[in-house]
């Protein structure tokens, strides 16, 4: 149900309809840019949330029923209409690098017996079809999501990208305060919103506000515990494939967080810590309830 509601808001914003309703959830500027973000504040928050469902439905389509690929396709559409370049890159890494590794490791008992599970073969075939579809639809993507496509083209051509420049400047500001007071390197400056109110990169966010200690304890250790517990759950419940999707999503976070702040955002942070709570719980996730309610 959650995914359906978010999809409704995203499509509504993309077709530029229902502005009075959307203004309750997202920035007024976002409503008229053609980049879907509601019910989140920023387009990249919307895309990051949708990316979880991409991995979730993709994995379920591989190992349960092909009908779940429809949900994965819907998530790809949502990521596309958000036009978030960082999530585009993160999704590419997640699908083509991290997911194959997770699936091969989690299904290693089949490989040891020289058997390849059907789901893994379907996975590589799906990736191939996804690449072909992207190439065929590239002219349409260039027309409908120009912000993302042009940004990716500029990145590959080595041209200046304003959003990356802003993130670099924010990190330089954080370093300048360390040069003034070396203690800040360890403890940070606190919120200090008069200096950096909206910090883009999660690394700069924690480093500037809480120092290297805060970055390690509040971000890396928490994320590591989530990844470790998820991997443990995969070993304990190899047939419960929801943990594979969670692991892929968590492993992508350090990559996409270099340019965006996902884990400490309004609304989105609740979803992130909810996922961590589920994998750190001693109890097994009841996938029957998940499938009935579509809550995660």
């Amino acid at each position: 149900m959650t995914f359906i509601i978010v999809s409704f808001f995203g499509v509504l914003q993309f077709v530029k309809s229902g502005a009075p309703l959307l203004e309750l959830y997202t920035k007024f500027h976002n409503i008229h840019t053609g980049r879907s973000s509601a019910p989140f504040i920023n387009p990249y928050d919307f895309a990051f949330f949708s990316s979880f469902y991409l991995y979730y439905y993709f994995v379920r389509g591989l190992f349960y029923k092909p009908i779940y690929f429809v949900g994965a396709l819907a998530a790809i559409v949502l990521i596309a209409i958000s036009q978030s370049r960082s999530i585009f890159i993160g999704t590419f890494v997640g699908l083509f690098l991290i997911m194959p590794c997770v699936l091969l490791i989690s299904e290693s008992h089949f490989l040891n017996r020289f058997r390849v599970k059907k789901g893994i073969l379907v996975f590589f075939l799906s990736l191939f079809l996804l690449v072909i579809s992207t190439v065929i639809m590239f002219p349409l993507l260039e027309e409908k999501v120009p912000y993302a496509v042009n940004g990716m083209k500029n990145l590959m051509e080595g041209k200046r990208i304003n959003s990356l420049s802003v993130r670099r400047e924010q990190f330089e500001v954080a370093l300048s305060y360390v040069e003034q007071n070396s203690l800040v390197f360890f403890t940070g400056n606190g919120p200090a919103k008069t200096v950096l109110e909206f910090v883009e990169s999660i690394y700069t966010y924690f480093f500037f506000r809480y120092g290297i200690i805060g970055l390690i304890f509040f971000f890396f250790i928490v994320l590591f515990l989530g990844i470790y517990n998820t991997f443990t759950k995969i070993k304990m419940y190899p047939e419960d494939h929801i943990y594979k999707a969670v692991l892929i999503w968590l492993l992508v976070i350090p990559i996409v967080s270099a340019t965006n702040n996902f884990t400490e955002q309004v609304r989105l942070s609740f979803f992130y810590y909810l996922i961590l709570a589920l994998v750190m719980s001693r109890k097994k996730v009841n996938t029957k309830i998940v499938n009935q309610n579509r809550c995660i």
Side-chain angles (χ1 to χ4, degrees), residues 150-161 164 168:
N150 293 333
M152 296 299 295
K153 290 169 64 176
N154 291 338
L155 181 63
M156 289 186 290
E157 294 172 2
K159 296 181 179 179
R160 175 186 172 87
I161 300 178
L164 291 179
R168 183 176 63 251

Side-chain angles (χ1 to χ4, degrees), residues 6 25-27 37-42 45-46 49 266-268:
V6 172
Y25 297 96
T26 191
K27 299 176 183 177
S37 57
F40 301 98
I41 297 176
N42 300 301
D45 297 341
F46 176 86
F49 173 87
V266 177
R267 302 187 188 100
L268 187 59

Side-chain angles (χ1 to χ4, degrees), residues 44 62 96 179 196 292:
Y44 48 79
L62 292 176
F96 290 90
E179 293 175 356
L196 288 178
Q292 291 172 0

Side-chain angles (χ1 to χ4, degrees), residues 16-271:
K16 298 181 179 180
S17 180
L21 174 63
L22 296 174
E23 287 176 10
L24 298 175
Y25 297 96
T26 191
K27 299 176 183 177
F28 178 80
H29 171 74
N30 291 336
I31 298 175
H32 303 284
T33 58
R35 301 180 62 199
S36 294
S37 57
F40 301 98
I41 297 176
N42 300 301
Y44 48 79
D45 297 341
F46 176 86
F48 180 64
F49 173 87
S50 302
S51 69
F52 172 82
Y53 285 93
L54 167 59
Y55 306 131
Y56 174 69
Y57 284 120
F58 204 106
V59 170
R60 292 193 67 82
L62 292 176
F63 295 102
Y64 288 104
K65 297 179 180 179
I67 188 64
Y68 286 107
F69 283 122
V70 175
L73 181 61
I76 291 176
V77 171
L78 295 182
I79 294 173
I81 63 179
S82 75
Q83 302 195 55
S84 172
R85 292 172 294 203
S86 60
I87 299 300
F88 274 26
I89 296 173
T91 300
F92 179 86
V93 174
L95 285 177
F96 290 90
L97 296 178
I98 296 178
M99 185 178 285
C101 294
V102 169
L103 294 181
L104 290 174
I105 293 173
S106 62
E107 303 295 333
S108 59
H109 54 289
F110 285 94
L111 299 179
N112 291 336
R113 288 178 286 177
F114 300 98
R115 294 170 56 196
V116 180
K117 201 167 185 179
K118 179 181 176 181
I120 295 180
L121 295 177
V122 173
F123 166 73
F124 287 105
L125 177 61
S126 300
L127 288 188
F128 175 75
L129 294 176
L130 180 61
V131 172
I132 297 299
S133 301
T134 303
V135 172
I136 295 174
M137 296 178 61
F138 186 80
L140 178 63
L141 293 173
E142 199 169 18
E143 176 186 352
K144 297 298 183 180
V145 288
Y147 177 84
V149 174
N150 293 333
M152 296 299 295
K153 290 169 64 176
N154 291 338
L155 181 63
M156 289 186 290
E157 294 172 2
K159 296 181 179 179
R160 175 186 172 87
I161 300 178
N162 292 332
S163 59
L164 291 179
S165 299
V166 170
R167 288 157 174 78
R168 183 176 63 251
E169 291 169 2
Q170 289 183 340
F171 183 66
E172 291 173 352
V173 169
L175 289 179
S176 68
Y177 275 77
V178 173
E179 293 175 356
Q180 298 175 25
N181 183 356
S182 58
L183 186 61
V184 168
F185 177 81
F186 299 98
T187 62
N189 301 276
K193 293 186 177 181
T194 56
V195 180
L196 288 178
E197 182 175 5
F198 302 108
V199 187
E200 299 293 343
S201 169
I202 194 66
Y203 299 118
T204 304
Y205 174 89
F206 277 116
F207 179 69
F208 177 75
R209 293 192 175 187
Y210 311 112
I212 193 66
I213 296 176
L215 177 60
I216 293 173
F217 280 91
F218 298 148
F219 180 70
F220 282 116
I221 290 182
V222 172
L223 182 61
F224 171 77
L225 291 174
I227 293 173
Y228 175 79
N229 279 273
T230 306
F231 189 77
T232 302
K233 287 290 199 307
I234 290 175
K235 293 297 183 181
M236 294 172 60
Y237 312 110
E239 298 302 320
D240 201 344
H241 302 294
I242 184 176
Y243 295 113
K244 298 181 180 68
V246 173
L247 181 60
I248 297 165
W249 191 64
L250 292 178
L251 289 173
V252 170
I253 288 178
I255 301 172
V256 296
S257 293
T259 55
N260 293 113
N261 175 0
F262 295 110
T263 62
E264 303 301 315
Q265 290 282 17
V266 177
R267 302 187 188 100
L268 187 59
S269 59
F270 175 81
F271 182 77

